[in-house]
Amino acid sequence: MAKQAEEYGTVPRAAGDPAEPGLGPVPPGGPTADEGVGVEVRDGALFPPEDAERLRAGLQSAVVGFVDSPDRAVAQADTLLDEAMTCLADRLAESRGRLREHWQGNASLGTEERRTLLLEYRELMSRLLAV
């Protein structure tokens, strides 16, 4: 199934996933704002590039500084993990909010728009679970 997913750009179905039939393939890179919903997709990245780079550099600094100050290195790594968790939670909350505003209280939403939203939820979950 993984080879099929790779060849056709689909997301493999989770066991017991009732939403899979009829959803069709996920466009390479996932659904985008051009498809009408507007959740930003960055090649699967859940962090803005500048935050990811800052966190990586900080962790590298902690690792390098371990020899001179193990306590400080571990504390620095702990602080960075806390920042990463906060950033991730904020990004997920933003994405979820953008998705929700398109369907909550909108009874006139058509089937195709709901299908696109479901694809975007699935893409976001796939990115989250791949971490």
Side-chain angles (χ1 to χ4, degrees):
M1 179 175 254
K3 182 162 178 59
Q4 178 187 16
E6 182 179 292
E7 289 176 3
Y8 298 104
T10 60
V11 175
R13 179 166 64 127
D17 183 359
E20 180 71 325
L23 286 179
V26 175
T32 65
D34 294 338
E35 294 170 345
V37 177
V39 173
E40 189 174 332
V41 176
R42 292 182 201 246
D43 299 326
L46 292 170
F47 291 89
E50 58 278 359
D51 287 345
E53 186 54 39
R54 181 182 55 78
L55 291 167
R56 281 189 200 100
L59 185 58
Q60 181 62 27
S61 173
V63 169
V64 169
F66 180 81
V67 172
D68 294 330
S69 181
D71 287 340
R72 184 174 43 165
V74 170
Q76 184 179 357
D78 182 70
T79 298
L80 289 165
L81 182 58
D82 187 54
E83 289 177 30
M85 291 168 46
T86 299
C87 182
L88 179 61
D90 291 347
R91 295 276 297 178
L92 289 171
E94 289 170 16
S95 293
R96 183 180 186 205
R98 282 192 296 268
L99 286 167
R100 275 186 160 186
E101 73 184 28
H102 288 284
W103 67 268
Q104 249 182 356
N106 188 354
S108 66
L109 200 63
T111 302
E112 184 59 24
E113 289 96 355
R114 290 181 194 278
R115 185 187 76 81
T116 300
L117 282 165
L118 186 55
L119 287 172
E120 292 192 35
Y121 272 106
R122 183 175 74 175
E123 174 67 18
L124 186 58
M125 284 295 295
S126 294
R127 289 169 45 212
L128 180 61
L129 297 174
V131 170

